Amino acid sequence: MLVYPSGVDVSSSALRFLTQQLRRHRRAIGSRWRRLAVGRQALLTLAHLRMGHTYAQLAAGFGIGTTTAYRYVTEAVGLLAALAPSLDGAVRAASAKVYLVLDGTLLPIDRVAADRPFYSGKHKRHGMNVQVIADPFGRLLWASPALPGAVHDIRAAREHGIVDALAEADIRCWADKGYRGAGGTVCTPYWGRWETLSAGQQAVNRSHAKIRALVEQAVATLKSWRLLRKLRCSTTRITSLVQAVLTLHLTSSE
């Protein structure tokens, strides 16, 4: 395999943060020697998450074995995922916001046609459903654990307790028609064909669409980590990958 110099478009603060976490972890477990120093292991993990490089590519670039690359990435991802904010913590931190925006996104996976629980009828492809909460400026605040793609957005929001958490905190939340009937403080547009709506209802839906469009920035932020654009790992690992990316994003944006 050919090896060439490349770059990773991630802030140095994310690299420093992950390096510190790995250093503390190695001290805690009494690890004396590794093939890679903590800084190189952090860079290896960021390259995997941000660029989506395979373990074989990473192993060739860093001069280690494929199994070692897998272990290093898994270790770092686990540390980052454990630091991700909980839903309650994210809602408390956003309590001063005027409102929040909620939406669901599908993370594509490499499943076969027989894996029906992972097939999204809306997107016509296999994937994992992740709920995203953004602030009024479209900044990513929280991302949920991943559920099979066949799960609808409103069901996912209820299973994660998003509707109840927002209602308890009394924070208004804007969402699309997929959350119709959610209740609580979740606001959805008027239902029906455009030509059957009154002029007032059409005006409300236009305003609602402009506000809700801000969440697309948060979704784009999540998917700027290229590994999440097409996941080829076990579905049981996707939640930890999403939580790791969320931690890195929040850390580098502080």
Side-chain angles (χ1 to χ4, degrees), residues 101-105 130-134 140-144 162 179 215 218-219 222:
V101 190
L102 170 67
D103 198 8
T105 185
V130 173
Q131 299 294 298
V132 174
I133 295 179
L140 177 64
L141 298 178
W142 182 78
S144 74
I162 299 174
Y179 297 88
V215 77
V219 173
L222 192 66

Side-chain angles (χ1 to χ4, degrees), residues 32 66 91 140 144 146 166 180:
R32 297 184 178 181
T66 303
V91 170
L140 177 64
S144 74
L166 293 172
R180 186 169 64 101

Side-chain angles (χ1 to χ4, degrees), residues 72-86:
Y72 281 0
V73 170
T74 302
E75 179 183 48
V77 166
L79 292 175
L80 290 171
L83 298 173
S86 64

Side-chain angles (χ1 to χ4, degrees), residues 3-253:
V3 178
Y4 65 96
S6 184
V8 182
D9 55 340
V10 178
S11 67
S12 58
S13 61
L15 178 63
R16 289 194 299 269
F17 174 79
L18 182 52
T19 300
Q20 292 172 358
Q21 297 303 318
L22 289 170
R23 184 176 292 113
R24 292 173 185 170
H25 176 68
R26 290 190 184 187
R27 289 174 180 170
I29 64 175
S31 179
R32 297 184 178 181
W33 181 85
R34 296 283 188 96
R35 290 293 303 275
L36 295 180
V38 287
R40 296 288 287 173
Q41 183 181 356
L43 182 59
L44 172 82
T45 304
L46 292 178
H48 178 64
L49 295 174
R50 188 69 172 187
M51 310 305 295
H53 293 323
T54 65
Y55 296 117
Q57 291 171 322
L58 294 171
F62 284 82
I64 57 178
T66 303
T67 303
T68 303
Y70 172 82
R71 286 192 296 104
Y72 281 0
V73 170
T74 302
E75 179 183 48
V77 166
L79 292 175
L80 290 171
L83 298 173
S86 64
L87 174 61
D88 292 336
V91 170
R92 284 195 302 269
S95 59
K97 306 292 184 182
V98 178
Y99 60 87
L100 298 177
V101 190
L102 170 67
D103 198 8
T105 185
L106 188 79
L107 302 182
I109 58 176
D110 59 341
R111 299 286 97 176
V112 298
D115 294 325
R116 297 300 299 176
F118 300 98
Y119 185 78
S120 170
K122 175 182 177 181
H123 298 276
K124 307 300 181 184
R125 65 190 306 177
H126 293 81
M128 300 293 286
N129 181 303
V130 173
Q131 299 294 298
V132 174
I133 295 179
D135 69 6
F137 299 97
R139 292 177 296 210
L140 177 64
L141 298 178
W142 182 78
S144 74
L147 293 175
V151 176
H152 295 285
D153 284 339
I154 187 172
R155 176 185 164 190
R158 286 171 174 164
E159 286 194 18
H160 296 310
I162 299 174
V163 177
D164 293 338
L166 293 172
E168 184 176 349
D170 195 25
I171 301 177
R172 296 192 70 184
C173 178
W174 301 84
D176 62 22
K177 294 180 180 179
Y179 297 88
R180 186 169 64 101
T185 57
V186 177
C187 302
T188 58
Y190 285 104
W191 184 265
R193 298 177 63 86
W194 182 259
E195 58 271 13
T196 63
L197 300 178
S198 66
Q201 291 173 332
Q202 290 179 357
V204 169
N205 280 10
R206 287 194 194 97
S207 176
H208 190 285
K210 291 179 181 179
I211 296 175
R212 187 173 49 79
L214 295 171
V215 77
E216 297 301 329
Q217 298 180 30
V219 173
T221 297
L222 192 66
K223 292 187 176 181
S224 66
W225 298 79
R226 295 173 182 82
L227 182 69
L228 300 183
R229 296 180 187 177
K230 184 61 180 291
L231 291 154
R232 296 176 175 83
C233 61
S234 169
T235 55
T236 59
R237 297 186 59 231
I238 295 177
T239 291
S240 60
L241 291 172
V242 172
Q243 299 301 304
V245 166
L246 176 64
T247 299
L248 288 171
H249 167 71
L250 295 177
T251 300
S252 59
S253 61

